[in-house]
């Protein structure tokens, strides 16, 4: 039962309690607004890039704690988030700083030169046998020849596997091969040229452009791991040529066709027929020259014999004339004691 206050003290106490309750609710509401504003600001910093990787880690850790995870686990999650944001900032994929958005990844340029102790034709033929690459290259897993100008590659990159399609845009036998490629997780464009230094010595110049995509590719690009791997695979090619191919070079039949602007302008069979025709013509010309030389060597012999016989006849005639003149002189009597 509610009654009238018995004294002024009770009235004052009740008023004080009501006033304290109102003040407390105002304080809690103000604190809630401040906390909400601070959270929104942190979220904005983390998402908008104004606070950097540290704020992203802090927000991530706070969310993990709010979800009921332990503080240690929240710290690990927050630290990993900060690390990812910092690494992405190097590759232009993160939101860590103004102006970083939209920045393209740097292309890794790889240039290598190797000398191989075989003729140019042998080195070129072996290079065109793309299907043999997995047998002597460590990280190349498979190469499928889709057509004369298109190949599908599969290789290992760190702990993952990557595939790409390469298209040859120019190929001239014993001179050069130029290709372009495309792939979901990075691709390689490049060119290789062949130069004869001696009849049994060839210089191979390899130029590659590696376009990384993705976290692992970008990290490897920062470490220049792709360049080291390309150099090692290039040396594997030389080792294979020097230890296997040069033992039986005729067993390696390279692709001798020609490609211009990404289209096959001369297939392998046509190129081989043309080479056989040129070789046959060269043999015929060489045989004709040999026959002419032999005829020339045999021709001077009769002429020399005739000249010798003609010379002997001339000598005999001269001797006969002298004999005829000498005989009348010997037969003519000499006058003795003749007077004028």
């Amino acid at each position: 039962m509610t009654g009238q206050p018995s004294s002024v003290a009770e009235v004052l106490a009740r008023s004080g309690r009501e006033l304290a309750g109102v003040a407390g609710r105002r304080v809690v509401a103000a604190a809630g607004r401040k906390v909400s504003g601070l959270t929104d600001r942190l979220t904005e910093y983390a998402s908008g890039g104004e606070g950097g990787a540290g704020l992203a880690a802090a927000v991530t850790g706070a969310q993990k704690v709010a979800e009921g995870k332990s503080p240690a686990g929240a710290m690990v999650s927050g630290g990993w988030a900060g690390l990812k944001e910092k690494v992405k900032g190097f590759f232009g994929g993160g939101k860590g700083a103004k102006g970083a958005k939209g920045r393209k990844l740097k292309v890794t340029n790889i240039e290598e030169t190797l000398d191989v102790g075989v003729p140019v034709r042998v080195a070129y033929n072996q290079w065109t046998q793309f299907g043999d690459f997995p047998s002597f290259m460590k990280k190349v897993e498979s190469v499928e020849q889709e057509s004369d100008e298109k190949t599908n590659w599969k290789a290992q990159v760190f702990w993952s596997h990557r595939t790409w399609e390469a298209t040859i845009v120019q190929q001239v036998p014993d001179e050069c091969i130029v290709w372009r490629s495309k792939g979901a997780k990075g691709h390689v464009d490049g060119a290789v040229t062949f130069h004869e230094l001696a009849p049994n010595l060839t210089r191979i110049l390899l130029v590659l452009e590696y376009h990384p995509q993705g976290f692992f590719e970008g990290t490897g690009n920062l470490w220049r791991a792709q360049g080291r791997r390309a150099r090692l695979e290039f040396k594997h090619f030389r080792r294979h040529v020097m230890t296997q191919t040069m033992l039986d070079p005729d067993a390696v039949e390279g692709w001798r066709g020609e490609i211009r602007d990404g289209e096959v302008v001369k297939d392998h069979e046509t190129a081989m027929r043309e080479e056989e025709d040129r070789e046959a013509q060269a043999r015929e010309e060489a045989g004709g020259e040999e026959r002419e030389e032999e005829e020339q060597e045999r021709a001077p012999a009769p002429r020399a014999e005739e000249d010798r016989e003609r010379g002997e006849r001339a000598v005999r005639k001269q001797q006969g004339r002298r004999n005829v003149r000498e005989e009348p002189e010997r037969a003519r009597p000499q006058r003795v004691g003749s007077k004028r």
Side-chain angles (χ1 to χ4, degrees), residues 60-318:
T60 304
Q63 291 176 350
K64 297 299 181 181
V65 172
E67 292 174 0
K69 292 189 175 182
S70 64
M75 291 176 61
V76 172
S77 299
W80 176 246
L83 177 60
K84 288 198 295 185
E85 290 296 326
K86 184 174 292 187
V87 172
K88 287 181 179 180
F90 283 115
F91 308 133
K95 304 176 181 179
K98 292 182 178 181
K101 187 176 180 180
R103 185 171 57 190
K104 295 182 179 180
L105 298 177
K106 292 183 178 180
V107 176
T108 300
N109 295 317
I110 304 169
E111 298 180 5
E112 289 297 323
T113 302
L114 284 180
D115 295 340
V116 186
V118 294
V120 172
R121 184 184 180 92
V122 176
Y124 174 84
N125 286 347
Q126 182 60 73
W127 189 279
T128 60
Q129 299 301 299
F130 303 118
D132 295 343
F133 281 21
S135 64
F136 56 83
M137 290 187 176
K138 186 176 181 181
K139 296 299 181 179
V140 179
E141 297 181 346
S142 65
V143 182
E144 297 180 357
Q145 191 83 34
E146 181 178 343
S147 61
D148 290 337
E149 72 278 8
K150 291 184 180 297
T151 53
N152 296 317
W153 296 68
K154 182 179 180 181
Q156 182 178 357
V157 179
F158 293 102
W159 301 280
S160 59
H161 304 274
R162 296 290 182 261
T163 59
W164 66 90
E165 180 186 86
T167 301
I168 298 175
V169 297
Q170 183 173 347
Q171 182 168 352
V172 181
D174 302 334
E175 292 185 13
C176 67
I177 302 175
V178 183
W179 69 92
R180 299 290 181 264
S181 64
K182 59 182 180 180
K185 294 294 183 69
H187 60 278
V188 181
D189 299 338
V192 58
T193 59
F194 303 84
H195 311 270
E196 182 180 2
L197 302 181
N200 290 319
L201 183 61
T202 302
R203 174 163 294 174
I204 304 176
L205 175 61
L206 177 66
V207 178
L208 301 176
E209 284 186 352
Y210 179 70
H211 302 261
Q213 294 181 10
F215 177 75
F216 286 109
E217 284 75 12
T219 306
N221 189 35
L222 180 64
W223 297 338
R224 294 295 187 265
Q226 294 86 358
R228 292 192 293 271
R229 171 50 54 187
R231 285 191 290 271
L232 182 59
E233 301 291 19
F234 199 15
K235 292 180 180 179
H236 286 332
F237 174 82
R238 179 171 62 179
R239 176 181 56 82
H240 177 76
V241 172
M242 297 297 294
T243 59
Q244 301 295 328
T245 306
M246 69 180 305
L247 298 179
D248 190 7
D250 296 334
V252 180
E253 183 180 358
W255 194 81
R256 306 295 300 178
E258 188 172 342
I259 298 175
R260 300 282 185 179
D261 297 329
E263 296 182 359
V264 179
V265 297
K266 184 186 298 183
D267 59 13
H268 174 71
E269 289 74 15
T270 303
M272 293 300 295
R273 285 196 300 269
E274 291 180 356
E275 288 186 2
E276 292 176 358
D277 294 341
R278 287 194 297 268
E279 291 177 357
Q281 184 178 358
R283 286 194 299 268
E284 291 180 358
E285 293 177 355
E289 292 178 356
E290 291 178 357
R291 287 192 297 270
E292 290 179 0
E293 291 177 357
E294 292 176 357
E295 291 176 357
Q296 291 177 359
E297 290 177 356
R298 289 193 300 268
R303 288 198 297 269
E305 185 68 20
E306 293 177 358
D307 294 341
R308 184 177 62 80
E309 292 179 355
R310 189 180 298 108
E312 291 179 353
R313 286 196 297 271
V315 170
R316 286 195 295 271
K317 287 181 179 180
Q318 290 180 358

